[in-house]
Amino acid sequence: MPPVSVMIKPASSGCNLRCAYCFYADEAALRGVPNYGIMSADTLETVVRTFLQAATGSCSFAFQGGEPTLAGLEFFRRVVQLQKKYARPGLVVSNALQTNGVLLDEEWCRFLAQENFLVGLSLDGVKDTHDLFRRTPADTGSYAAVLRAAQRLTAAKASFNILTVVTAPLAKNITKVYNFYKKNGWLYHQYIPCMDPLANERGGQPYSLTPAAYTEFLKRLFDLWYQDVSRGFLVSVRYFDNLMQILQGRAPESCAMTGQCNVQYLVESNGNVYPCDFYAMDEYYLGNICTDTVARLDAARTAMRFVEDSREKPAQCRECRWFGLCRGGCRRDYTGGADSHNYYCESYREFFEYAYPRLRQAALLLRGLYR
Ligand code: SF4
Ligand code: SF4
């Protein structure tokens, strides 16, 4: 078996925030069981042992939620112990944690730094844009808590990047947001277009990101990024990093940009396995890691044609001059129905028309920087 990528939900869909646009809360609400609770010690041991034994080369574990830190620091200490116990010599094991930061005190941050976790901290820009949608159960903003977490992570010298959900208000304020991140020394950014609820038509929520708003966002963000790059100052923006990789003839790391879904294992807290974070729903159930072998999970994914069908692109992608760069994007952004296509297609086209000469220039300037 090749390198393995496992995503684990230690606290299922449980969370200590109530972000208005949470895609996982939306997805989980459509399941027979929305919340499977905290992962037990036995299930954790089975997950770690099984995937470490199955992997060759490397095995990456990404902990997500809901809010994964709700499982407690002892849970994560156990993760590291189990990895040391079961990893064969030479296997490269890595850990990542996606968190809202609310529970990250000094002890947590020291642990994350010591054990080399790559932390993704969810922050939606400045106070005004963040507090609009990232609310506590008492309906107060969570900005101050996230800022404290960023300060503690910095003090502990933990590696972290900022994950920002691009809502309509945030898109309008991208200049302010980008400069604010830079001023704080946060130079690793990931911007994810906000998703609308699965059951609703897109574009109807206060946070909804329309294709027109996303186009303007991409152009503005690119101008800011390119200005820095041309002055020799590199800010990592995951989408642009992936475009650089493609333009330099390398494989992009983001599955949304490879032209097909990748093989991954999304493990819910009771051991249920699904093919992707965006498809942790009953109809995509592959099996349970406590009772099924990895080969059986793989066979279920193949029978479902999860990866195979993702290679079939709509006619407009097959004929598109930008396909080599765009590759159609993530299937979760597809509109559905007979003429299904990427909801943000016009954003990508317009952005590439606008930025292509400078994208090529940046790829030359940044030669050798991406692997
Ligand atoms: S659905 Fe999107 S995120 Fe999931 S594997 Fe496919 S491309 Fe990646
Ligand atoms: S720009 Fe649109 S048509 Fe072209 S590859 Fe991307 S999603 Fe497909």
Side-chain angles (χ1 to χ4, degrees):
M1 169 168 273
V4 165
S5 161
V6 191
M7 277 185 232
I8 301 176
K9 304 274 182 186
S12 190
S13 61
C15 193
N16 48 359
L17 290 184
R18 298 289 179 272
C19 303
Y21 51 60
C22 180
F23 79 86
Y24 204 69
D26 177 47
E27 220 172 278
L30 297 172
R31 296 196 300 231
V33 181
N35 188 339
Y36 292 101
I38 304 290
M39 183 174 277
S40 72
D42 284 352
T43 302
L44 175 64
E45 182 152 5
T46 305
V47 173
V48 173
R49 188 189 61 235
T50 307
F51 287 112
L52 285 178
Q53 286 172 350
T56 51
S58 66
C59 188
S60 68
F61 293 87
F63 297 89
Q64 307 180 332
E67 175 49 40
T69 59
L70 287 177
L73 183 49
E74 284 316 307
F75 177 95
F76 285 86
R77 291 196 202 281
R78 184 89 185 114
V79 166
V80 175
Q81 283 165 4
L82 290 167
Q83 290 173 339
K84 287 181 182 147
K85 179 174 171 188
Y86 289 114
R88 291 189 307 281
L91 187 76
V92 178
V93 180
S94 60
N95 287 303
L97 173 75
Q98 185 58 46
T99 176
N100 62 32
V102 171
L103 293 178
L104 294 189
D105 59 11
E106 277 85 5
E107 199 184 354
W108 260 106
C109 295
R110 262 198 314 276
F111 165 81
L112 295 168
Q114 264 162 16
E115 299 300 340
N116 272 321
F117 273 64
L118 174 61
V119 180
L121 184 65
S122 296
L123 174 69
D124 287 358
V126 295
K127 184 175 189 318
D128 288 354
T129 48
H130 180 94
D131 278 348
L132 261 181
F133 304 118
R134 297 192 67 85
R135 312 287 294 170
T136 67
D139 201 25
T140 57
S142 59
Y143 176 80
V146 184
L147 216 63
R148 264 197 309 276
Q151 285 155 358
R152 286 175 183 150
L153 287 165
T154 306
K157 298 194 167 50
S159 307
F160 70 101
N161 55 48
I162 304 285
L163 186 135
T164 297
V165 176
V166 187
T167 58
L170 189 130
K172 278 195 206 132
N173 285 286
I174 184 56
T175 303
K176 207 200 273 182
V177 169
Y178 181 88
N179 287 331
F180 172 67
Y181 290 175
K182 260 175 57 182
K183 198 175 100 203
N184 279 282
W186 305 327
L187 302 181
Y188 293 86
H189 308 180
Q190 200 182 146
Y191 298 93
I192 315 247
C194 187
M195 286 180 172
D196 289 310
L198 282 158
N200 296 52
E201 210 164 297
R202 295 196 78 147
Q205 310 298 322
Y207 48 77
S208 292
L209 181 71
T210 61
Y214 192 42
T215 308
E216 286 317 303
F217 166 86
L218 283 176
K219 288 181 178 174
R220 192 69 210 113
L221 178 62
F222 178 75
D223 288 346
L224 294 160
W225 178 83
Y226 185 78
Q227 197 177 47
D228 281 336
V229 165
S230 48
R231 287 198 299 237
F233 184 75
L234 180 61
V235 177
S236 166
V237 174
R238 189 180 179 202
Y239 181 55
F240 300 151
D241 292 349
N242 273 269
L243 291 174
M244 293 298 105
Q245 286 163 339
I246 292 172
L247 286 165
Q248 292 171 352
R250 299 166 199 270
E253 56 73 31
S254 161
C255 53
M257 295 173 76
T258 57
Q260 65 175 58
C261 293
N262 62 7
V263 170
Q264 48 182 292
Y265 305 86
L266 185 289
V267 188
E268 252 294 351
S269 62
N270 69 337
N272 279 2
V273 181
Y274 306 87
C276 166
D277 201 11
F278 294 143
Y279 291 89
M281 291 175 284
D282 296 338
E283 58 270 45
Y284 291 94
Y285 172 73
L286 298 179
N288 188 295
I289 196 65
C290 302
T291 49
D292 294 306
T293 61
V294 174
R296 215 148 127 193
L297 300 171
D298 289 342
R301 186 193 301 99
T302 305
M304 196 182 283
R305 296 187 54 81
F306 189 80
V307 175
E308 292 74 5
D309 285 352
S310 72
R311 293 187 195 123
E312 314 261 321
K313 298 297 171 196
Q316 68 187 81
C317 287
R318 295 197 302 271
E319 289 151 17
C320 174
R321 67 179 286 231
W322 300 114
F323 183 74
L325 267 182
C326 172
R327 305 183 182 181
C330 171
R331 67 199 270 164
R332 179 64 199 269
D333 278 328
Y334 279 40
T335 51
D339 67 339
S340 180
H341 60 277
N342 193 307
Y343 180 63
Y344 292 114
C345 173
E346 73 182 61
S347 313
Y348 295 128
R349 284 179 195 251
E350 209 176 314
F351 168 65
F352 292 135
E353 292 289 348
Y354 177 77
Y356 188 59
R358 284 181 293 158
L359 279 168
R360 286 190 50 160
Q361 194 59 33
L364 283 175
L365 280 170
L366 300 174
R367 240 181 337 216
L369 269 183
Y370 295 96
R371 285 170 194 283

